[in-house]
Structures are given as structure tokens and as C-alpha cells.
Amino acid sequence: MNDLTGRCALVTGGSRGIGRAIALALAATGADIAVNYRERRDKAEAVASEIKELGRHAVALSADVALAAEVKRLVADAESALGPVGILVNNAGIARPVTLDTLDTPIWDETIALNLTSAFLVTQAVLPGMRTRRWGRIVNISSTAAQIGGIIGPHYAASKAGMIGMTHGYAKLLAGEGITANVVAPALIDTDMLRGNDRAQPSLVPLGRFGSVEEVAEVVVMLARNGYITGQTINVNGGLYMS
């Protein structure tokens, strides 16, 4: 596929950072975009406006994707506004840097819910339609933390590692139905989230710089276009982890 014209993409956590870049990149390739957000309505609506300026359809939709009822509403609203969701990018998540002494059960539960359970809930919500149409692209945004531990903490690394295992499961079960499932694992990408973490330094990266959100978005677009890549983790990390 040279373009994604006529496809509807749902990007969770699409109001800023990596999610915003992915939404704009998919729109530039022809897709219509549902921009999910939880708190930043103004930013999500600004992204939707940018997409409309590209000549595509877009809608900003509020939902806490860690809650099943809100996910059900989100997918229904996205499909009502734009048509069947064919591309899902599970990007929503949080990063709460903690020390081992301050890591507790509430932080663990919150991180797993927002980073991992949310991806499961949204995937389950869009899958029936994808399976009926026998076409779909699922892209889960994980992290190099899943592979090397990272700089946030065990809770974050576990949530992102879980996304990789979950993706493998979906990829295997859906391979014969025209639906692919893949992971993009970025590291130290220049975002607001990164700038708020004093542990993040360009010197950690072999290439000597932070990555850009556009460099992550390019990979997501490639996976959305490609029907023969499935069950893979694409690393966008400046050489921090080599596979």
C-alpha cells in the first residue's frame, strides 16, 4: 500500500509528543484520525485541526483507556465519526520515575493499568470489526525499558515488556486473518515526558542525541502500510539496545 487513503486510525494518547507525531504522519499518508486524549482537550483538538488542514477527517475524543466502559464508548464514537477503525496505535501511557524505596503497589497498579491494560482493552474493542473485514494494523508503543530496564523503574519496564508479550500473542492468533500486530520500542525521545526526567541524558545514547518524535512516527507509518511484518519489535533507540 502506497497510502492509507480511506483507512481510519485510532491513536490513543494522541494529543502530544509521540502520539501527536504519529497522528499527523498517518494523516499525511491518507488516513483519517481519531485523536484520543484523557486530559488535554485543547491540545487534542489542535492536533485534529492540523489533520484537517492536511485534507483528512479527524476528531478529538476523550476517554480514559484504562476503563473498559470508556474504551467501548471511544471506539463507538470514533467509528460513528470516521468509519471502521482499521489502524490502532496504542500509545497512551504514563512514566512515573521512582526509586526502589518509593515504588509501591498503587504506583505499580496505575502504571500497569494505563500502559498495558489499556492496550488490551482498546485492542479487544476494535478486533471484532477488523476480523469481520479481514484487515487491520495494530501497533503498540512499548519502550527500550522493556529490554534493558530503563531509567523509570521496574513498574514501567514491566508494563512495556508486557506489551511485547501481548503483541506476540495477538500476532500469532491473527496472522491468518489479514491483521498484523507489531511493537515500536523507542528510547529517549525528545518529548515533554523525557524533559521532566533528570535521569535522561543524551550521553546514554550511542548516537549521542535524543530521538525525535518524527523518527518514531515514520516507523509506525511503515508498519501500517506493510502486510507482511507481524509479531516484530522495531527498535528506535539510537543504538541503546541492539538486536
Short mmCIF file of all heavy atoms in Angstrom, two decimals, residues 37-99:
data_model
loop_
_atom_site.label_atom_id
_atom_site.label_comp_id
_atom_site.label_asym_id
_atom_site.label_seq_id
_atom_site.Cartn_x
_atom_site.Cartn_y
_atom_site.Cartn_z
N TYR A 37 -7.60 11.43 23.84
CA TYR A 37 -6.90 12.13 24.92
C TYR A 37 -7.65 11.85 26.21
O TYR A 37 -8.82 11.43 26.21
CB TYR A 37 -6.85 13.64 24.65
CG TYR A 37 -8.21 14.31 24.74
CD1 TYR A 37 -8.63 14.95 25.91
CD2 TYR A 37 -9.08 14.30 23.65
CE1 TYR A 37 -9.87 15.56 25.98
CE2 TYR A 37 -10.32 14.90 23.72
CZ TYR A 37 -10.72 15.53 24.88
OH TYR A 37 -11.96 16.12 24.96
N ARG A 38 -6.97 12.08 27.34
CA ARG A 38 -7.62 11.92 28.63
C ARG A 38 -7.85 13.27 29.30
O ARG A 38 -8.92 13.52 29.86
CB ARG A 38 -6.80 11.03 29.55
CG ARG A 38 -7.50 10.71 30.86
CD ARG A 38 -6.77 9.69 31.69
NE ARG A 38 -5.46 10.13 32.13
CZ ARG A 38 -4.83 9.63 33.20
NH1 ARG A 38 -5.40 8.67 33.92
NH2 ARG A 38 -3.63 10.06 33.53
N GLU A 39 -6.87 14.17 29.23
CA GLU A 39 -6.95 15.44 29.97
C GLU A 39 -6.76 16.67 29.09
O GLU A 39 -7.30 17.72 29.39
CB GLU A 39 -5.88 15.46 31.07
CG GLU A 39 -6.06 14.36 32.12
CD GLU A 39 -4.89 14.31 33.09
OE1 GLU A 39 -3.83 14.88 32.75
OE2 GLU A 39 -5.05 13.71 34.16
N ARG A 40 -5.99 16.57 28.02
CA ARG A 40 -5.56 17.76 27.27
C ARG A 40 -6.47 18.00 26.05
O ARG A 40 -6.06 17.81 24.91
CB ARG A 40 -4.10 17.62 26.87
CG ARG A 40 -3.17 17.53 28.07
CD ARG A 40 -1.75 17.23 27.66
NE ARG A 40 -0.86 17.20 28.81
CZ ARG A 40 -0.69 16.14 29.60
NH1 ARG A 40 -1.36 15.02 29.34
NH2 ARG A 40 0.13 16.19 30.63
N ARG A 41 -7.68 18.42 26.31
CA ARG A 41 -8.65 18.62 25.24
C ARG A 41 -8.16 19.64 24.22
O ARG A 41 -8.28 19.43 23.01
CB ARG A 41 -9.99 19.07 25.82
CG ARG A 41 -11.05 19.37 24.77
CD ARG A 41 -12.37 19.77 25.40
NE ARG A 41 -13.35 20.11 24.39
CZ ARG A 41 -14.59 20.48 24.67
NH1 ARG A 41 -15.01 20.55 25.94
NH2 ARG A 41 -15.43 20.77 23.70
N ASP A 42 -7.62 20.76 24.70
CA ASP A 42 -7.19 21.81 23.79
C ASP A 42 -6.10 21.32 22.85
O ASP A 42 -6.11 21.61 21.64
CB ASP A 42 -6.72 23.05 24.55
CG ASP A 42 -5.61 22.75 25.55
OD1 ASP A 42 -5.48 21.59 26.00
OD2 ASP A 42 -4.84 23.69 25.88
N LYS A 43 -5.16 20.54 23.38
CA LYS A 43 -4.08 20.02 22.54
C LYS A 43 -4.58 18.99 21.54
O LYS A 43 -4.15 18.95 20.39
CB LYS A 43 -2.97 19.43 23.42
CG LYS A 43 -2.21 20.47 24.23
CD LYS A 43 -1.05 19.85 24.99
CE LYS A 43 -0.29 20.90 25.79
NZ LYS A 43 0.34 21.93 24.93
N ALA A 44 -5.50 18.14 21.99
CA ALA A 44 -6.05 17.13 21.08
C ALA A 44 -6.85 17.79 19.95
O ALA A 44 -6.74 17.38 18.78
CB ALA A 44 -6.95 16.17 21.85
N GLU A 45 -7.61 18.81 20.28
CA GLU A 45 -8.37 19.50 19.24
C GLU A 45 -7.44 20.24 18.29
O GLU A 45 -7.74 20.36 17.09
CB GLU A 45 -9.38 20.44 19.89
CG GLU A 45 -10.51 19.69 20.60
CD GLU A 45 -11.54 20.61 21.22
OE1 GLU A 45 -11.24 21.83 21.37
OE2 GLU A 45 -12.63 20.13 21.55
N ALA A 46 -6.30 20.72 18.81
CA ALA A 46 -5.33 21.37 17.93
C ALA A 46 -4.74 20.37 16.94
O ALA A 46 -4.53 20.68 15.76
CB ALA A 46 -4.22 22.01 18.76
N VAL A 47 -4.47 19.15 17.42
CA VAL A 47 -3.96 18.10 16.52
C VAL A 47 -5.01 17.78 15.46
O VAL A 47 -4.69 17.66 14.27
CB VAL A 47 -3.59 16.83 17.31
CG1 VAL A 47 -3.16 15.72 16.36
CG2 VAL A 47 -2.47 17.13 18.29
N ALA A 48 -6.26 17.64 15.87
CA ALA A 48 -7.33 17.36 14.91
C ALA A 48 -7.43 18.48 13.87
O ALA A 48 -7.64 18.21 12.68
CB ALA A 48 -8.65 17.19 15.64
N SER A 49 -7.26 19.71 14.29
CA SER A 49 -7.30 20.84 13.34
C SER A 49 -6.16 20.76 12.34
O SER A 49 -6.35 21.02 11.14
CB SER A 49 -7.25 22.16 14.11
OG SER A 49 -8.40 22.34 14.89
N GLU A 50 -4.97 20.40 12.83
CA GLU A 50 -3.82 20.25 11.92
C GLU A 50 -4.09 19.16 10.89
O GLU A 50 -3.71 19.28 9.71
CB GLU A 50 -2.56 19.91 12.71
CG GLU A 50 -2.01 21.05 13.54
CD GLU A 50 -0.70 20.66 14.22
OE1 GLU A 50 0.29 20.47 13.50
OE2 GLU A 50 -0.69 20.52 15.46
N ILE A 51 -4.71 18.08 11.33
CA ILE A 51 -5.01 16.98 10.41
C ILE A 51 -6.02 17.44 9.35
O ILE A 51 -5.88 17.12 8.16
CB ILE A 51 -5.55 15.77 11.20
CG1 ILE A 51 -4.43 15.18 12.06
CG2 ILE A 51 -6.14 14.71 10.27
CD1 ILE A 51 -4.90 14.18 13.09
N LYS A 52 -7.01 18.18 9.75
CA LYS A 52 -8.00 18.68 8.79
C LYS A 52 -7.36 19.61 7.77
O LYS A 52 -7.77 19.64 6.60
CB LYS A 52 -9.13 19.39 9.55
CG LYS A 52 -9.99 18.44 10.37
CD LYS A 52 -11.00 19.20 11.22
CE LYS A 52 -11.78 18.25 12.11
NZ LYS A 52 -12.73 18.97 13.02
N GLU A 53 -6.33 20.34 8.20
CA GLU A 53 -5.61 21.21 7.26
C GLU A 53 -4.87 20.40 6.21
O GLU A 53 -4.55 20.91 5.12
CB GLU A 53 -4.64 22.10 8.03
CG GLU A 53 -5.33 23.18 8.87
CD GLU A 53 -4.36 23.97 9.72
OE1 GLU A 53 -3.14 23.74 9.60
OE2 GLU A 53 -4.82 24.83 10.50
N LEU A 54 -4.59 19.13 6.53
CA LEU A 54 -3.96 18.24 5.56
C LEU A 54 -4.97 17.63 4.59
O LEU A 54 -4.61 16.86 3.70
CB LEU A 54 -3.22 17.11 6.28
CG LEU A 54 -2.03 17.50 7.15
CD1 LEU A 54 -1.52 16.31 7.94
CD2 LEU A 54 -0.92 18.11 6.31
N GLY A 55 -6.23 17.96 4.79
CA GLY A 55 -7.28 17.46 3.91
C GLY A 55 -7.90 16.15 4.35
O GLY A 55 -8.65 15.53 3.59
N ARG A 56 -7.62 15.74 5.58
CA ARG A 56 -8.18 14.50 6.11
C ARG A 56 -9.25 14.80 7.15
O ARG A 56 -9.32 15.91 7.68
CB ARG A 56 -7.10 13.61 6.74
CG ARG A 56 -5.92 13.31 5.84
CD ARG A 56 -6.30 12.86 4.46
NE ARG A 56 -7.31 11.78 4.48
CZ ARG A 56 -8.03 11.44 3.41
NH1 ARG A 56 -7.89 12.08 2.27
NH2 ARG A 56 -8.90 10.45 3.50
N HIS A 57 -10.04 13.81 7.47
CA HIS A 57 -11.03 13.94 8.53
C HIS A 57 -10.38 13.59 9.87
O HIS A 57 -9.50 12.73 9.95
CB HIS A 57 -12.22 13.01 8.29
CG HIS A 57 -12.94 13.29 7.01
ND1 HIS A 57 -13.68 14.43 6.80
CD2 HIS A 57 -13.02 12.58 5.86
CE1 HIS A 57 -14.20 14.41 5.59
NE2 HIS A 57 -13.81 13.30 4.98
N ALA A 58 -10.83 14.25 10.93
CA ALA A 58 -10.26 13.99 12.26
C ALA A 58 -11.27 14.37 13.32
O ALA A 58 -12.13 15.23 13.12
CB ALA A 58 -8.97 14.79 12.46
N VAL A 59 -11.14 13.70 14.46
CA VAL A 59 -11.99 14.01 15.61
C VAL A 59 -11.17 13.79 16.87
O VAL A 59 -10.36 12.86 16.93
CB VAL A 59 -13.26 13.15 15.61
CG1 VAL A 59 -12.93 11.66 15.69
CG2 VAL A 59 -14.21 13.56 16.73
N ALA A 60 -11.33 14.67 17.86
CA ALA A 60 -10.67 14.51 19.16
C ALA A 60 -11.68 13.90 20.13
O ALA A 60 -12.79 14.42 20.29
CB ALA A 60 -10.19 15.87 19.67
N LEU A 61 -11.29 12.80 20.76
CA LEU A 61 -12.21 12.05 21.61
C LEU A 61 -11.60 11.80 22.97
O LEU A 61 -10.52 11.21 23.09
CB LEU A 61 -12.56 10.71 20.95
CG LEU A 61 -13.29 10.79 19.60
CD1 LEU A 61 -13.39 9.42 18.98
CD2 LEU A 61 -14.68 11.42 19.78
N SER A 62 -12.33 12.20 24.00
CA SER A 62 -11.87 12.00 25.37
C SER A 62 -12.25 10.61 25.86
O SER A 62 -13.38 10.15 25.66
CB SER A 62 -12.51 13.05 26.28
OG SER A 62 -12.25 12.76 27.64
N ALA A 63 -11.29 9.93 26.52
CA ALA A 63 -11.58 8.64 27.16
C ALA A 63 -10.38 8.25 28.00
O ALA A 63 -9.23 8.45 27.59
CB ALA A 63 -11.88 7.56 26.14
N ASP A 64 -10.64 7.68 29.15
CA ASP A 64 -9.60 7.04 29.95
C ASP A 64 -9.54 5.60 29.48
O ASP A 64 -10.42 4.78 29.78
CB ASP A 64 -9.97 7.10 31.44
CG ASP A 64 -8.89 6.51 32.33
OD1 ASP A 64 -8.06 5.71 31.83
OD2 ASP A 64 -8.88 6.81 33.54
N VAL A 65 -8.51 5.27 28.71
CA VAL A 65 -8.45 3.96 28.06
C VAL A 65 -8.10 2.83 29.02
O VAL A 65 -8.00 1.67 28.61
CB VAL A 65 -7.50 3.97 26.85
CG1 VAL A 65 -8.10 4.78 25.71
CG2 VAL A 65 -6.13 4.51 27.22
N ALA A 66 -7.91 3.14 30.29
CA ALA A 66 -7.73 2.09 31.29
C ALA A 66 -9.08 1.59 31.82
O ALA A 66 -9.10 0.66 32.63
CB ALA A 66 -6.88 2.59 32.45
N LEU A 67 -10.17 2.20 31.35
CA LEU A 67 -11.50 1.83 31.82
C LEU A 67 -12.31 1.24 30.66
O LEU A 67 -12.51 1.90 29.64
CB LEU A 67 -12.22 3.06 32.38
CG LEU A 67 -11.52 3.75 33.56
CD1 LEU A 67 -12.27 5.01 33.96
CD2 LEU A 67 -11.40 2.79 34.75
N ALA A 68 -12.80 0.02 30.84
CA ALA A 68 -13.47 -0.70 29.76
C ALA A 68 -14.67 0.06 29.20
O ALA A 68 -14.88 0.11 27.98
CB ALA A 68 -13.88 -2.08 30.24
N ALA A 69 -15.48 0.65 30.08
CA ALA A 69 -16.68 1.34 29.61
C ALA A 69 -16.32 2.54 28.74
O ALA A 69 -16.99 2.81 27.72
CB ALA A 69 -17.52 1.79 30.81
N GLU A 70 -15.27 3.26 29.12
CA GLU A 70 -14.86 4.42 28.32
C GLU A 70 -14.25 4.00 27.00
O GLU A 70 -14.39 4.68 25.98
CB GLU A 70 -13.91 5.30 29.13
CG GLU A 70 -14.58 5.93 30.35
CD GLU A 70 -13.86 7.16 30.84
OE1 GLU A 70 -13.14 7.82 30.06
OE2 GLU A 70 -14.03 7.48 32.03
N VAL A 71 -13.56 2.87 26.99
CA VAL A 71 -12.99 2.35 25.74
C VAL A 71 -14.11 1.99 24.77
O VAL A 71 -14.03 2.29 23.57
CB VAL A 71 -12.09 1.14 26.02
CG1 VAL A 71 -11.75 0.41 24.72
CG2 VAL A 71 -10.82 1.59 26.72
N LYS A 72 -15.13 1.33 25.26
CA LYS A 72 -16.26 0.96 24.41
C LYS A 72 -16.88 2.20 23.77
O LYS A 72 -17.18 2.21 22.57
CB LYS A 72 -17.30 0.21 25.23
CG LYS A 72 -18.49 -0.27 24.44
CD LYS A 72 -19.46 -1.06 25.31
CE LYS A 72 -20.67 -1.54 24.50
NZ LYS A 72 -21.63 -2.32 25.35
N ARG A 73 -17.06 3.24 24.57
CA ARG A 73 -17.61 4.49 24.04
C ARG A 73 -16.67 5.14 23.04
O ARG A 73 -17.09 5.65 22.00
CB ARG A 73 -17.90 5.46 25.19
CG ARG A 73 -18.34 6.85 24.74
CD ARG A 73 -18.64 7.77 25.90
NE ARG A 73 -17.54 7.87 26.85
CZ ARG A 73 -16.44 8.59 26.65
NH1 ARG A 73 -16.28 9.26 25.50
NH2 ARG A 73 -15.50 8.65 27.57
N LEU A 74 -15.36 5.12 23.35
CA LEU A 74 -14.37 5.72 22.47
C LEU A 74 -14.42 5.11 21.08
O LEU A 74 -14.45 5.82 20.06
CB LEU A 74 -12.97 5.53 23.07
CG LEU A 74 -11.78 5.83 22.16
CD1 LEU A 74 -11.73 7.32 21.82
CD2 LEU A 74 -10.47 5.40 22.83
N VAL A 75 -14.41 3.78 21.01
CA VAL A 75 -14.40 3.12 19.70
C VAL A 75 -15.71 3.37 18.96
O VAL A 75 -15.72 3.63 17.75
CB VAL A 75 -14.13 1.61 19.88
CG1 VAL A 75 -14.30 0.87 18.55
CG2 VAL A 75 -12.73 1.39 20.44
N ALA A 76 -16.82 3.35 19.69
CA ALA A 76 -18.11 3.63 19.04
C ALA A 76 -18.15 5.04 18.48
O ALA A 76 -18.61 5.27 17.35
CB ALA A 76 -19.25 3.42 20.05
N ASP A 77 -17.64 6.01 19.24
CA ASP A 77 -17.63 7.39 18.78
C ASP A 77 -16.69 7.58 17.59
O ASP A 77 -17.00 8.33 16.65
CB ASP A 77 -17.22 8.32 19.92
CG ASP A 77 -18.31 8.46 20.99
OD1 ASP A 77 -19.44 8.00 20.75
OD2 ASP A 77 -17.99 9.01 22.07
N ALA A 78 -15.54 6.92 17.63
CA ALA A 78 -14.59 7.03 16.53
C ALA A 78 -15.19 6.48 15.24
O ALA A 78 -15.08 7.09 14.17
CB ALA A 78 -13.30 6.28 16.88
N GLU A 79 -15.85 5.34 15.34
CA GLU A 79 -16.40 4.71 14.14
C GLU A 79 -17.63 5.45 13.64
O GLU A 79 -17.88 5.50 12.44
CB GLU A 79 -16.69 3.24 14.42
CG GLU A 79 -15.41 2.47 14.73
CD GLU A 79 -15.54 0.97 14.62
OE1 GLU A 79 -16.66 0.46 14.84
OE2 GLU A 79 -14.52 0.31 14.31
N SER A 80 -18.38 6.06 14.56
CA SER A 80 -19.52 6.87 14.14
C SER A 80 -19.07 8.09 13.36
O SER A 80 -19.70 8.50 12.38
CB SER A 80 -20.32 7.30 15.37
OG SER A 80 -21.37 8.17 15.01
N ALA A 81 -17.95 8.68 13.78
CA ALA A 81 -17.46 9.91 13.15
C ALA A 81 -16.67 9.65 11.88
O ALA A 81 -16.76 10.43 10.91
CB ALA A 81 -16.58 10.68 14.14
N LEU A 82 -15.89 8.56 11.86
CA LEU A 82 -14.91 8.38 10.79
C LEU A 82 -15.02 7.07 10.01
O LEU A 82 -14.39 6.91 8.98
CB LEU A 82 -13.49 8.47 11.36
CG LEU A 82 -13.13 9.76 12.08
CD1 LEU A 82 -11.74 9.65 12.71
CD2 LEU A 82 -13.18 10.95 11.13
N GLY A 83 -15.80 6.12 10.52
CA GLY A 83 -15.88 4.82 9.87
C GLY A 83 -15.08 3.78 10.64
O GLY A 83 -14.48 4.07 11.68
N PRO A 84 -15.06 2.55 10.15
CA PRO A 84 -14.44 1.44 10.87
C PRO A 84 -12.96 1.68 11.15
O PRO A 84 -12.21 2.12 10.28
CB PRO A 84 -14.62 0.25 9.91
CG PRO A 84 -15.75 0.63 9.03
CD PRO A 84 -15.68 2.12 8.88
N VAL A 85 -12.55 1.38 12.38
CA VAL A 85 -11.14 1.53 12.75
C VAL A 85 -10.34 0.37 12.14
O VAL A 85 -10.57 -0.80 12.45
CB VAL A 85 -10.96 1.54 14.28
CG1 VAL A 85 -9.47 1.52 14.64
CG2 VAL A 85 -11.64 2.76 14.88
N GLY A 86 -9.41 0.72 11.26
CA GLY A 86 -8.56 -0.30 10.64
C GLY A 86 -7.14 -0.27 11.16
O GLY A 86 -6.41 -1.25 11.02
N ILE A 87 -6.74 0.86 11.73
CA ILE A 87 -5.39 1.02 12.27
C ILE A 87 -5.51 1.47 13.71
O ILE A 87 -6.16 2.48 14.00
CB ILE A 87 -4.59 2.07 11.46
CG1 ILE A 87 -4.50 1.67 9.99
CG2 ILE A 87 -3.19 2.25 12.06
CD1 ILE A 87 -4.07 2.80 9.08
N LEU A 88 -4.90 0.72 14.60
CA LEU A 88 -4.90 1.07 16.02
C LEU A 88 -3.48 1.28 16.48
O LEU A 88 -2.63 0.40 16.30
CB LEU A 88 -5.55 -0.03 16.85
CG LEU A 88 -5.39 0.10 18.37
CD1 LEU A 88 -6.07 1.37 18.88
CD2 LEU A 88 -5.93 -1.13 19.09
N VAL A 89 -3.23 2.44 17.08
CA VAL A 89 -1.93 2.71 17.69
C VAL A 89 -2.15 2.90 19.18
O VAL A 89 -2.73 3.90 19.61
CB VAL A 89 -1.25 3.95 17.08
CG1 VAL A 89 0.13 4.15 17.72
CG2 VAL A 89 -1.12 3.81 15.57
N ASN A 90 -1.70 1.92 19.96
CA ASN A 90 -1.80 2.01 21.42
C ASN A 90 -0.58 2.74 21.95
O ASN A 90 0.48 2.16 22.17
CB ASN A 90 -1.88 0.60 22.02
CG ASN A 90 -3.25 -0.03 21.84
OD1 ASN A 90 -4.26 0.57 22.18
ND2 ASN A 90 -3.29 -1.23 21.29
N ASN A 91 -0.76 4.04 22.14
CA ASN A 91 0.34 4.91 22.56
C ASN A 91 0.14 5.48 23.95
O ASN A 91 1.11 5.92 24.59
CB ASN A 91 0.49 6.05 21.55
CG ASN A 91 1.42 7.13 22.02
OD1 ASN A 91 2.63 6.97 22.04
ND2 ASN A 91 0.85 8.28 22.41
N ALA A 92 -1.08 5.49 24.46
CA ALA A 92 -1.36 6.11 25.76
C ALA A 92 -0.55 5.44 26.86
O ALA A 92 -0.37 4.22 26.88
CB ALA A 92 -2.84 6.01 26.08
N GLY A 93 -0.04 6.25 27.77
CA GLY A 93 0.71 5.69 28.89
C GLY A 93 1.28 6.77 29.78
O GLY A 93 1.18 7.96 29.48
N ILE A 94 1.84 6.33 30.89
CA ILE A 94 2.46 7.25 31.84
C ILE A 94 3.86 6.75 32.19
O ILE A 94 4.16 5.56 32.06
CB ILE A 94 1.63 7.39 33.13
CG1 ILE A 94 1.45 6.02 33.81
CG2 ILE A 94 0.30 8.05 32.85
CD1 ILE A 94 0.90 6.11 35.21
N ALA A 95 4.68 7.65 32.66
CA ALA A 95 6.01 7.32 33.17
C ALA A 95 6.19 8.03 34.49
O ALA A 95 6.31 9.25 34.51
CB ALA A 95 7.09 7.73 32.17
N ARG A 96 6.20 7.29 35.58
CA ARG A 96 6.37 7.86 36.91
C ARG A 96 7.72 7.41 37.45
O ARG A 96 7.84 6.32 38.00
CB ARG A 96 5.26 7.36 37.84
CG ARG A 96 3.85 7.69 37.37
CD ARG A 96 3.32 8.92 38.07
NE ARG A 96 1.89 9.05 37.89
CZ ARG A 96 1.30 9.78 36.96
NH1 ARG A 96 2.03 10.44 36.08
NH2 ARG A 96 -0.02 9.86 36.89
N PRO A 97 8.77 8.22 37.28
CA PRO A 97 10.09 7.82 37.80
C PRO A 97 10.06 7.72 39.32
O PRO A 97 9.61 8.65 40.00
CB PRO A 97 11.01 8.95 37.33
CG PRO A 97 10.27 9.65 36.23
CD PRO A 97 8.82 9.51 36.59
N VAL A 98 10.53 6.60 39.84
CA VAL A 98 10.58 6.41 41.29
C VAL A 98 11.87 5.69 41.66
O VAL A 98 12.56 5.12 40.81
CB VAL A 98 9.38 5.57 41.80
CG1 VAL A 98 8.07 6.28 41.55
CG2 VAL A 98 9.37 4.18 41.17
N THR A 99 12.19 5.73 42.94
CA THR A 99 13.28 4.91 43.46
C THR A 99 12.70 3.60 43.96
O THR A 99 11.49 3.46 44.14
CB THR A 99 14.00 5.62 44.62
OG1 THR A 99 13.07 5.75 45.72
CG2 THR A 99 14.47 7.02 44.20
#
